[in-house]
Amino acid sequence: MIIVFMLIGALLVYLIMEYIYQKKWNKNLTVVIRFSKNNITAGEEAELIEVVTNRKWLPLPYINVKYQVDRSIVFEDGTDNFAVSDMVYRNDIFSLLMNQRITRRTRIACNRRGVYIIDKAQMVSTGMFMNDVMVADVKQSAELVVYPERADVEGLEVTYNKLMGNIERNRHLYEDPFAFRGIRDYVSTDALSAVNWKASARTGQLMVNQYNETTSQQVCILLNLEPEGALVRENLSEASISIASGLAQKLIESGIQVSMISNGADIVTREPVNAEAASGFSHIDTINNLLARIDLKAGQIDFGKILLDMDSDNKGVIYCMISQNRRADLQHKFNRLAGTTEGSVWIAPYLKDEEIMIKDANAHYIGWEVDCHAN
Amino acid sequence: MQTNSSMKGVRGILSVLELLIQCVMFLGITVPLNFGLLAKPENMWYSPLYILIPVIASYLIRKYTNNFALFAASNVLFIVYAVIAAGTGDDIFVYVVVMIVFVMYATNLKNNSIKRTDMDDMVAREGADTEKIKEEALKASLQGEHTSVAFVAIMLVGYFVGVIYESNAVMNIECMLCMVFIILQVIYHNMQQIFCVYSINNGKTEFPAKQIKTVNTFVTVTASCFIFISMIIFYNGEYGSIVSILGRGGAALVKFLVKCFLALLRLFGQENDEVQPETEPVTETHEEFETEIYENDSAALLNALAEAFGVVLIAALIILIMYGIKKYVINFNKVRKQGRDTIEFIKPADSKVKLDKMEKTKKTPVSRDVKSVRKIYKNRILYKTQGYAPDLTAMPSELTVKYITDDDIKVKKITGIYEKARYSEEEISQSDIDMMKKLS
């Protein structure tokens, strides 16, 4: 009977080992998926980092980590390692000894603006003898914000120079007599009240005081993502967002306060994305972040209403509207708003060979040709 | 990550394992037939081994040639070989029957092999888009020469043949063969699964083939060790159970060391005459006496071989485990790079938990003076509230005003002393204690 007992012993140990694996395989087993950067600009590269930690005395011969990401994310390791349909379905294989951690880094690139979230992953184990299939879900909080690509630099220069010219002119109009900046030579256009007589007496020629502006100059970007007609042209909307991003960056870099009002809905809250006026480099990130979060599929509220609700007595603010939609009532409302401040600009993205019809009144209109095949 | 080369390696190991399993299985048939049914003397220990030649030859023919005529001819030759190997007329019938069984088994395997080739051809013809066919082809290729674990029944039957014919040698050998068969099956099963994983993921650039091989080798060896130990625990052969064998082995080792020590003493010293009589009785045990009898008996050779095999296996396992531990210790704290993977060992979870617990239970020692001040203050408040807890959100200054005194200077002083005792690490002076004592 020895041989029977031996076989029973072997069977028992086999079953016990399998049972232990079934019960303990995911104890102290963690999977963390994250991106190497919190934000990148469209076209830039980053890394997707998967960290699998097995903090126990039980080796795991075969673990599949499954998760899905938006197909806009391009993986460096080619398409052999995952399935692509509506999403990219990753299925990464790990094998860990006891108390071991494996960190896998995969280079990724993203050409589309947006917020890419990995909120859950699945761990699949096949047991000690690779006979079973055991599954466990793991929550993740990986988020990559892809900022919009900056719009064409040449096109931006024209708009930027136009806006800056207006800002410089307005600066002169709204000087603060309490914010003394310095003294300079008198020129014929200066008012006599500006002459500093003491300084003139000392130097022997007419000198005038210089003052800082009353308030910091502010540009408000009005981003309208409503399509021109019934047909939604995503490339025009994306171009509008890129222009807003590029312009905001350029203005903030010049020390101008920039605010933004948009009818684009946030991908999570579904509320229109707006930014208060601010300056400083962190504000570039704030605006880019907001622009990245716009979900074009969520629809847009009527921008005319937004323009109507805006305070028309907001002196010192230069408006820069970016709108592919050029309907008459929108033009009318924008003219009313732009009438309060000189130098407002309307940038109108349009597709090549498209007729652009805007009645010039209080604002400058800049047509922005967009390649049909863009995006 | 070197999937193809790893696949070749695993395929090679699988081939060797298949051959070994078949050898063990057919030895499981021939051993009881030779020493049981045919009642061959045990000094003809080599007689069951005749089956190994056809098993190995047939395997090689099946595996490495597609020539069916050669395979058929080899089968005829094997039967002729069985007749020659049998020698005497009595054995021919049994040898030929065993060989016919083997030929049937080999033919069945050959048929599977042909089916597998057909499936591969179909995949080649229909292309890679037919995933189902590809999967079935993979399954068929994995099933190829696989011997089911159910064939362990052969050893079981063989063991009972040994019981019927009262042959200890047959029983011992069948036990050993059973053990080897089970362990080989475990290893084969795991290697087969690894091969399956490699095949499915073949072509993936980031497939961690090396890591999978390392971890699975470890898991397979560990599982095999456990299963082997679980089987050997129940083993109770000619020399007793494994525990007694190991005990006797240990005693023999000690005896050997003592002998060496005495020899050294004899070589260098003068005291050997004194030591010699003390060691003499140790060598004279009952077991040793029995061993000496068996040494001259060639019939015990097979049993001794089986026992020796078991002991060697255990020794090998111990060495393997020690080697594994050594490798683990060496690699601990080392960070290795494997393709895009960074592999590192981390500290076990338990130590962290213990540390946390220790930190939680750790208390800052409080001096007697501090305790005294706190107690006086508390008692004074409770005296006024008649034992009820005061408003727990109230500050000490508020409590002092409400329950002790409304004199501003005293309030400041008493609250200050209490706060020092309760919240700071400053020492309490004797004057502070006296001041508090005046309250009560």
Side-chain angles (χ1 to χ4, degrees):
Chain A
M1 287 299 281
I2 293 167
I3 198 164
V4 178
F5 287 126
M6 282 168 69
L7 287 173
I8 291 170
L11 186 69
L12 270 177
V13 167
Y14 181 88
L15 292 175
I16 288 168
M17 281 194 287
E18 271 213 328
Y19 179 78
I20 290 170
Y21 255 82
Q22 279 169 4
K23 291 287 167 192
K24 303 280 181 189
W25 74 275
N26 60 348
K27 190 189 171 192
N28 292 334
L29 175 68
T30 55
V31 174
V32 178
I33 302 170
R34 60 186 169 87
F35 294 99
S36 60
K37 294 175 184 172
N38 292 331
N39 45 59
I40 57 170
T41 305
E44 279 183 4
E45 284 189 347
E47 277 183 332
L48 182 88
I49 303 167
E50 296 162 82
V51 184
V52 184
T53 311
N54 179 30
R55 203 183 275 276
K56 62 174 173 291
W57 291 96
L58 204 64
L60 296 166
Y62 192 70
I63 288 281
N64 286 61
V65 176
K66 297 180 175 189
Y67 57 92
Q68 57 194 58
V69 284
D70 193 282
R71 53 185 294 172
S72 304
I73 290 184
V74 182
F75 285 84
E76 182 204 41
D77 52 8
T79 51
D80 290 336
N81 297 309
F82 50 86
V84 185
S85 54
D86 56 327
M87 302 279 273
V88 174
Y89 294 92
R90 298 277 304 180
N91 183 4
D92 293 334
I93 299 156
F94 292 87
S95 189
L96 296 106
L97 282 172
M98 54 279 207
N99 292 313
Q100 204 172 53
R101 177 188 294 141
I102 297 181
T103 309
R104 183 171 296 166
R105 292 169 175 271
T106 313
R107 290 208 72 78
I108 55 163
C110 194
N111 298 319
R112 277 181 73 90
R113 167 198 67 82
V115 180
Y116 299 96
I117 298 168
I118 301 171
D119 56 357
K120 68 173 178 185
Q122 216 174 39
M123 297 186 295
V124 183
S125 171
T126 50
M128 188 172 190
F129 300 102
M130 296 190 180
N131 292 335
D132 303 322
V133 177
M134 294 168 287
V135 185
D137 288 327
V138 201
K139 279 193 177 177
Q140 299 295 326
S141 55
E143 187 180 289
L144 178 70
V145 181
V146 180
Y147 293 164
E149 203 175 357
R150 277 183 66 179
D152 167 45
V153 181
E154 276 181 34
L156 276 180
E157 277 304 321
V158 175
T159 318
Y160 172 74
N161 290 337
K162 205 162 263 183
L163 283 169
M164 282 309 285
N166 297 329
I167 287 164
E168 287 301 323
R169 193 182 59 198
N170 289 351
R171 263 183 189 165
H172 188 67
L173 290 175
Y174 303 109
E175 277 184 340
D176 182 357
F178 300 105
F180 180 73
R181 187 154 58 104
I183 296 169
R184 63 169 169 77
D185 288 342
Y186 174 83
V187 288
S188 56
T189 52
D190 287 330
L192 273 176
S193 61
V195 174
N196 184 333
W197 297 108
K198 282 184 182 173
S200 301
R202 269 201 303 273
T203 55
Q205 55 182 349
L206 286 175
M207 301 298 284
V208 288
N209 288 338
Q210 279 184 298
Y211 300 98
N212 279 327
E213 54 268 35
T214 41
T215 53
S216 300
Q217 287 300 301
Q218 196 192 114
V219 172
C220 178
I221 296 172
L222 305 168
L223 178 62
N224 178 21
L225 296 169
E226 286 173 288
E228 171 67 5
L231 184 69
V232 178
R233 288 158 170 168
E234 204 176 300
N235 44 4
L236 282 183
S237 302
E238 288 294 345
S240 301
I241 293 169
S242 290
I243 294 165
S245 166
L247 203 58
Q249 190 167 337
K250 246 183 149 357
L251 290 167
I252 291 168
E253 278 168 0
S254 308
I256 313 293
Q257 286 195 346
V258 176
S259 60
M260 186 182 74
I261 294 168
S262 162
N263 60 350
D266 185 281
I267 195 164
V268 178
T269 62
R270 301 287 167 195
E271 293 290 318
V273 295
N274 295 320
E276 292 290 323
S279 55
F281 287 105
S282 65
H283 196 54
I284 299 175
D285 277 348
T286 308
I287 288 182
N288 275 329
N289 218 331
L290 288 168
L291 292 171
R293 298 184 73 86
I294 292 174
D295 183 9
L296 293 175
K297 286 170 192 154
Q300 296 85 28
I301 53 170
D302 181 7
F303 204 70
K305 276 184 189 170
I306 295 175
L307 292 181
L308 215 59
D309 294 343
M310 281 174 67
D311 183 9
S312 56
D313 285 340
N314 213 347
K315 283 186 178 174
V317 177
I318 293 177
Y319 293 99
C320 174
M321 185 157 89
I322 304 162
S323 172
Q324 56 181 296
N325 187 307
R326 301 180 294 273
R327 64 178 190 268
D329 74 303
L330 198 68
Q331 290 186 35
H332 173 73
K333 282 166 189 163
F334 181 65
N335 281 337
R336 186 191 64 84
L337 189 72
T340 58
T341 319
E342 278 192 46
S344 292
V345 172
W346 179 333
I347 301 170
Y350 65 96
L351 291 177
K352 207 174 178 180
D353 304 328
E354 196 182 8
E355 202 177 342
I356 178 162
M357 288 182 62
I358 296 173
K359 289 173 191 169
D360 197 343
N362 295 324
H364 290 285
Y365 292 92
I366 300 167
W368 192 291
E369 191 180 287
V370 177
D371 183 5
C372 303
H373 305 292
N375 293 307
Chain B
M1 292 185 195
Q2 305 169 339
T3 316
N4 282 329
S5 61
S6 297
M7 269 177 79
K8 273 183 190 171
V10 175
R11 201 190 285 270
I13 294 169
L14 280 175
S15 298
V16 173
L17 287 170
E18 280 166 0
L19 186 58
L20 282 174
I21 289 170
Q22 286 172 27
C23 288
V24 169
M25 190 174 77
F26 281 97
L27 276 178
I29 297 172
T30 55
V31 167
L33 289 178
N34 275 275
F35 299 122
L37 193 69
L38 299 176
K40 285 194 176 178
E42 286 173 352
N43 57 359
M44 287 179 73
W45 56 269
Y46 51 83
S47 56
L49 302 181
Y50 79 96
I51 197 71
L52 297 183
I53 294 169
V55 169
I56 295 166
S58 179
Y59 181 83
L60 295 175
I61 291 167
R62 284 197 308 272
K63 194 89 181 171
Y64 299 108
T65 64
N66 289 325
N67 193 338
F68 195 81
L70 179 68
F71 174 72
S74 69
N75 284 342
V76 175
L77 277 175
F78 292 147
I79 292 167
V80 174
Y81 164 75
V83 173
I84 297 164
T88 58
D90 299 339
D91 300 350
I92 288 176
F93 176 71
V94 174
Y95 272 54
V96 169
V97 168
V98 170
M99 200 54 78
I100 287 169
V101 169
F102 169 71
V103 166
M104 282 164 69
Y105 176 77
T107 311
N108 183 39
L109 289 179
K110 184 68 186 173
N111 282 341
N112 286 345
S113 165
I114 291 166
K115 272 185 201 167
R116 194 169 64 237
T117 316
D118 289 349
M119 196 70 85
D120 287 344
D121 289 347
M122 196 155 72
V123 171
R125 272 201 315 276
E126 305 214 1
D129 55 323
T130 51
E131 279 296 322
K132 203 176 173 185
I133 295 170
K134 209 175 170 184
E135 206 177 303
E136 278 182 14
L138 180 66
K139 272 183 192 168
S141 76
L142 290 170
Q143 286 297 316
E145 292 268 310
H146 174 56
T147 307
S148 169
V149 74
F151 282 101
V152 77
I154 290 172
M155 289 77 179
L156 209 65
V157 172
Y159 180 84
F160 286 108
V161 169
V163 173
I164 292 163
Y165 287 94
E166 293 176 349
S167 167
N168 282 336
V170 171
M171 287 191 282
N172 282 342
I173 292 171
E174 287 299 316
C175 283
M176 287 301 163
L177 289 176
C178 174
M179 246 186 260
V180 175
F181 184 80
I182 293 289
I183 288 165
L184 288 176
Q185 282 286 351
V186 170
I187 298 169
Y188 183 82
H189 173 79
N190 269 25
M191 296 310 283
Q192 202 183 33
Q193 295 297 333
I194 293 172
F195 185 73
C196 186
V197 169
Y198 280 3
S199 307
I200 290 167
N201 296 290
N202 192 16
K204 282 189 179 179
T205 50
E206 61 165 288
F207 181 66
K210 200 176 169 188
Q211 175 71 1
I212 286 181
K213 199 168 85 180
T214 309
V215 177
N216 275 284
T217 307
F218 180 83
V219 170
T220 309
V221 169
T222 313
S224 305
C225 285
F226 280 124
I227 288 174
F228 177 72
I229 290 165
S230 72
M231 292 173 90
I232 207 105
I233 280 170
F234 293 100
Y235 176 75
N236 194 0
E238 189 69 30
Y239 300 110
S241 69
I242 190 67
V243 182
S244 58
I245 291 173
L246 285 173
R248 277 204 307 280
L253 187 71
V254 171
K255 199 172 77 182
F256 173 74
L257 290 173
V258 169
K259 270 187 178 174
C260 290
F261 179 67
L262 290 174
L264 280 172
L265 281 180
R266 202 177 296 129
L267 200 68
F268 295 104
Q270 302 75 25
E271 297 94 339
N272 13 358
D273 291 342
E274 292 166 20
V275 182
Q276 194 71 25
E278 284 175 19
T279 54
E280 277 301 318
V282 181
T283 55
E284 284 297 317
T285 60
H286 176 67
E287 286 87 355
E288 275 217 298
F289 181 63
E290 266 189 304
T291 317
E292 277 172 10
I293 294 168
Y294 273 100
E295 268 172 11
N296 297 324
D297 190 358
S298 59
L301 188 62
L302 279 175
N303 288 335
L305 272 175
E307 304 283 356
F309 179 72
V311 173
V312 167
L313 256 179
I314 291 171
L317 279 178
I318 291 166
I319 291 166
L320 213 70
I321 291 167
M322 284 170 74
Y323 176 74
I325 292 167
K326 185 194 151 200
K327 268 205 113 176
Y328 178 73
V329 170
I330 288 171
N331 286 326
F332 198 80
N333 281 341
K334 260 190 188 173
V335 178
R336 285 182 293 126
K337 284 283 281 178
Q338 242 175 50
R340 277 197 294 276
D341 289 358
T342 309
I343 304 165
E344 58 192 314
F345 281 100
I346 48 170
K347 282 183 181 174
D350 289 348
S351 61
K352 197 183 169 221
V353 174
K354 274 179 196 165
L355 198 73
D356 290 345
K357 276 182 186 170
M358 275 167 68
E359 276 175 4
K360 271 181 191 172
T361 51
K362 200 175 153 187
K363 282 181 180 173
T364 326
V366 181
S367 75
R368 207 176 152 186
D369 295 342
V370 169
K371 277 183 191 169
S372 166
V373 168
R374 286 187 197 175
K375 198 174 174 184
I376 294 166
Y377 187 82
K378 187 181 160 189
N379 287 343
R380 186 72 188 168
I381 303 275
L382 288 175
Y383 173 73
K384 287 278 180 180
T385 59
Q386 294 176 332
Y388 292 104
D391 178 11
L392 294 175
T393 58
M395 301 293 283
S397 54
E398 292 166 8
L399 294 174
T400 314
V401 172
K402 201 171 175 184
Y403 298 114
I404 300 173
T405 176
D406 50 3
D407 182 350
D408 281 352
I409 300 164
K410 280 186 179 175
V411 166
K412 228 174 184 179
K413 218 162 189 181
I414 292 165
T415 312
I417 295 166
Y418 174 72
E419 283 177 344
K420 195 159 72 169
R422 180 69 183 83
Y423 304 111
S424 80
E425 289 180 356
E426 285 179 47
E427 283 183 13
I428 302 292
S429 64
Q430 192 54 48
S431 61
D432 291 340
I433 297 167
D434 294 341
M435 172 82 187
M436 292 302 279
K437 274 182 181 170
K438 276 180 196 169
L439 294 173
S440 49

